[in-house]
PDB file of all heavy atoms in Angstrom:
ATOM      1  N   PHE V  55     103.419 104.728 103.293  1.00 90.00           N
ATOM      2  CA  PHE V  55     102.933 105.841 104.086  1.00 90.00           C
ATOM      3  C   PHE V  55     104.026 106.390 104.967  1.00 90.00           C
ATOM      4  O   PHE V  55     105.138 105.847 104.968  1.00 90.00           O
ATOM      5  CB  PHE V  55     101.741 105.384 104.953  1.00 90.00           C
ATOM      6  CG  PHE V  55     100.541 104.905 104.174  1.00 90.00           C
ATOM      7  CD1 PHE V  55     100.382 103.561 103.853  1.00 90.00           C
ATOM      8  CD2 PHE V  55      99.592 105.794 103.725  1.00 90.00           C
ATOM      9  CE1 PHE V  55      99.308 103.123 103.108  1.00 90.00           C
ATOM     10  CE2 PHE V  55      98.481 105.359 102.995  1.00 90.00           C
ATOM     11  CZ  PHE V  55      98.338 104.035 102.688  1.00 90.00           C
ATOM     12  N   LYS V  56     103.729 107.406 105.716  1.00 92.00           N
ATOM     13  CA  LYS V  56     104.749 108.038 106.563  1.00 92.00           C
ATOM     14  C   LYS V  56     105.258 107.064 107.623  1.00 92.00           C
ATOM     15  O   LYS V  56     106.486 106.935 107.820  1.00 92.00           O
ATOM     16  CB  LYS V  56     104.182 109.293 107.224  1.00 92.00           C
ATOM     17  CG  LYS V  56     105.174 110.059 108.036  1.00 92.00           C
ATOM     18  CD  LYS V  56     104.561 111.311 108.606  1.00 92.00           C
ATOM     19  CE  LYS V  56     105.568 112.076 109.473  1.00 92.00           C
ATOM     20  NZ  LYS V  56     104.963 113.298 110.011  1.00 92.00           N
ATOM     21  N   GLU V  57     104.374 106.396 108.303  1.00 94.00           N
ATOM     22  CA  GLU V  57     104.747 105.558 109.458  1.00 94.00           C
ATOM     23  C   GLU V  57     104.889 104.072 109.096  1.00 94.00           C
ATOM     24  O   GLU V  57     105.392 103.274 109.912  1.00 94.00           O
ATOM     25  CB  GLU V  57     103.700 105.677 110.554  1.00 94.00           C
ATOM     26  CG  GLU V  57     103.546 107.107 111.067  1.00 94.00           C
ATOM     27  CD  GLU V  57     104.786 107.620 111.780  1.00 94.00           C
ATOM     28  OE1 GLU V  57     105.459 106.793 112.443  1.00 94.00           O
ATOM     29  OE2 GLU V  57     105.075 108.818 111.675  1.00 94.00           O
ATOM     30  N   TYR V  58     104.425 103.653 107.925  1.00 95.00           N
ATOM     31  CA  TYR V  58     104.466 102.228 107.569  1.00 95.00           C
ATOM     32  C   TYR V  58     104.280 102.065 106.061  1.00 95.00           C
ATOM     33  O   TYR V  58     103.835 102.991 105.388  1.00 95.00           O
ATOM     34  CB  TYR V  58     103.371 101.455 108.314  1.00 95.00           C
ATOM     35  CG  TYR V  58     101.971 101.997 108.068  1.00 95.00           C
ATOM     36  CD1 TYR V  58     101.216 101.504 107.013  1.00 95.00           C
ATOM     37  CD2 TYR V  58     101.382 102.964 108.885  1.00 95.00           C
ATOM     38  CE1 TYR V  58      99.945 102.008 106.756  1.00 95.00           C
ATOM     39  CE2 TYR V  58     100.128 103.468 108.672  1.00 95.00           C
ATOM     40  CZ  TYR V  58      99.407 102.988 107.582  1.00 95.00           C
ATOM     41  OH  TYR V  58      98.156 103.459 107.342  1.00 95.00           O
ATOM     42  N   CYS V  59     104.558 100.889 105.572  1.00 94.00           N
ATOM     43  CA  CYS V  59     104.150 100.513 104.223  1.00 94.00           C
ATOM     44  C   CYS V  59     103.082  99.423 104.395  1.00 94.00           C
ATOM     45  O   CYS V  59     102.966  98.835 105.451  1.00 94.00           O
ATOM     46  CB  CYS V  59     105.325 100.044 103.389  1.00 94.00           C
ATOM     47  SG  CYS V  59     106.126  98.534 103.965  1.00 94.00           S
ATOM     48  N   ALA V  60     102.289  99.236 103.363  1.00 95.00           N
ATOM     49  CA  ALA V  60     101.141  98.345 103.553  1.00 95.00           C
ATOM     50  C   ALA V  60     100.751  97.645 102.252  1.00 95.00           C
ATOM     51  O   ALA V  60     101.008  98.121 101.158  1.00 95.00           O
ATOM     52  CB  ALA V  60      99.951  99.158 104.081  1.00 95.00           C
ATOM     53  N   LEU V  61     100.091  96.523 102.473  1.00 95.00           N
ATOM     54  CA  LEU V  61      99.368  95.864 101.388  1.00 95.00           C
ATOM     55  C   LEU V  61      97.903  96.237 101.633  1.00 95.00           C
ATOM     56  O   LEU V  61      97.387  96.080 102.754  1.00 95.00           O
ATOM     57  CB  LEU V  61      99.517  94.334 101.478  1.00 95.00           C
ATOM     58  CG  LEU V  61     100.892  93.790 101.215  1.00 95.00           C
ATOM     59  CD1 LEU V  61     100.913  92.268 101.439  1.00 95.00           C
ATOM     60  CD2 LEU V  61     101.329  94.127  99.791  1.00 95.00           C
ATOM     61  N   LEU V  62      97.236  96.755 100.608  1.00 95.00           N
ATOM     62  CA  LEU V  62      95.843  97.135 100.716  1.00 95.00           C
ATOM     63  C   LEU V  62      95.015  96.161  99.847  1.00 95.00           C
ATOM     64  O   LEU V  62      95.122  96.191  98.625  1.00 95.00           O
ATOM     65  CB  LEU V  62      95.631  98.567 100.240  1.00 95.00           C
ATOM     66  CG  LEU V  62      94.176  99.017 100.210  1.00 95.00           C
ATOM     67  CD1 LEU V  62      93.604  99.127 101.615  1.00 95.00           C
ATOM     68  CD2 LEU V  62      94.052 100.378  99.508  1.00 95.00           C
ATOM     69  N   PHE V  63      94.245  95.339 100.489  1.00 94.00           N
ATOM     70  CA  PHE V  63      93.410  94.378  99.810  1.00 94.00           C
ATOM     71  C   PHE V  63      92.034  94.974  99.512  1.00 94.00           C
ATOM     72  O   PHE V  63      91.337  95.400 100.438  1.00 94.00           O
ATOM     73  CB  PHE V  63      93.258  93.101 100.680  1.00 94.00           C
ATOM     74  CG  PHE V  63      94.518  92.411 100.955  1.00 94.00           C
ATOM     75  CD1 PHE V  63      95.310  92.769 102.036  1.00 94.00           C
ATOM     76  CD2 PHE V  63      94.997  91.407 100.089  1.00 94.00           C
ATOM     77  CE1 PHE V  63      96.522  92.125 102.274  1.00 94.00           C
ATOM     78  CE2 PHE V  63      96.195  90.771 100.330  1.00 94.00           C
ATOM     79  CZ  PHE V  63      96.968  91.144 101.427  1.00 94.00           C
ATOM     80  N   PHE V  64      91.668  94.999  98.244  1.00 94.00           N
ATOM     81  CA  PHE V  64      90.422  95.613  97.825  1.00 94.00           C
ATOM     82  C   PHE V  64      89.217  95.015  98.533  1.00 94.00           C
ATOM     83  O   PHE V  64      88.325  95.733  98.941  1.00 94.00           O
ATOM     84  CB  PHE V  64      90.246  95.530  96.324  1.00 94.00           C
ATOM     85  CG  PHE V  64      91.155  96.435  95.551  1.00 94.00           C
ATOM     86  CD1 PHE V  64      92.394  95.980  95.108  1.00 94.00           C
ATOM     87  CD2 PHE V  64      90.777  97.740  95.257  1.00 94.00           C
ATOM     88  CE1 PHE V  64      93.245  96.830  94.396  1.00 94.00           C
ATOM     89  CE2 PHE V  64      91.616  98.582  94.557  1.00 94.00           C
ATOM     90  CZ  PHE V  64      92.851  98.127  94.132  1.00 94.00           C
ATOM     91  N   LYS V  65      89.185  93.693  98.633  1.00 92.00           N
ATOM     92  CA  LYS V  65      88.047  93.011  99.276  1.00 92.00           C
ATOM     93  C   LYS V  65      88.551  92.261 100.521  1.00 92.00           C
ATOM     94  O   LYS V  65      88.160  91.120 100.785  1.00 92.00           O
ATOM     95  CB  LYS V  65      87.378  92.077  98.295  1.00 92.00           C
ATOM     96  CG  LYS V  65      86.724  92.839  97.153  1.00 92.00           C
ATOM     97  CD  LYS V  65      85.972  91.922  96.222  1.00 92.00           C
ATOM     98  CE  LYS V  65      85.338  92.753  95.108  1.00 92.00           C
ATOM     99  NZ  LYS V  65      84.532  91.901  94.212  1.00 92.00           N
ATOM    100  N   GLY V  66      89.395  92.909 101.280  1.00 90.00           N
ATOM    101  CA  GLY V  66      89.987  92.300 102.452  1.00 90.00           C
ATOM    102  C   GLY V  66      88.991  91.825 103.505  1.00 90.00           C
ATOM    103  O   GLY V  66      89.233  90.892 104.250  1.00 90.00           O
ATOM    104  N   ALA V  67      87.816  92.474 103.564  1.00 90.00           N
ATOM    105  CA  ALA V  67      86.806  92.066 104.541  1.00 90.00           C
ATOM    106  C   ALA V  67      86.297  90.654 104.257  1.00 90.00           C
ATOM    107  O   ALA V  67      85.768  89.996 105.150  1.00 90.00           O
ATOM    108  CB  ALA V  67      85.647  93.060 104.503  1.00 90.00           C
TER     109      ALA V  67
END
Side-chain angles (χ1 to χ4, degrees):
F55 296 93
K56 184 177 178 180
E57 301 293 326
Y58 58 88
C59 64
L61 293 176
L62 175 67
F63 297 89
F64 287 92
K65 295 185 179 182

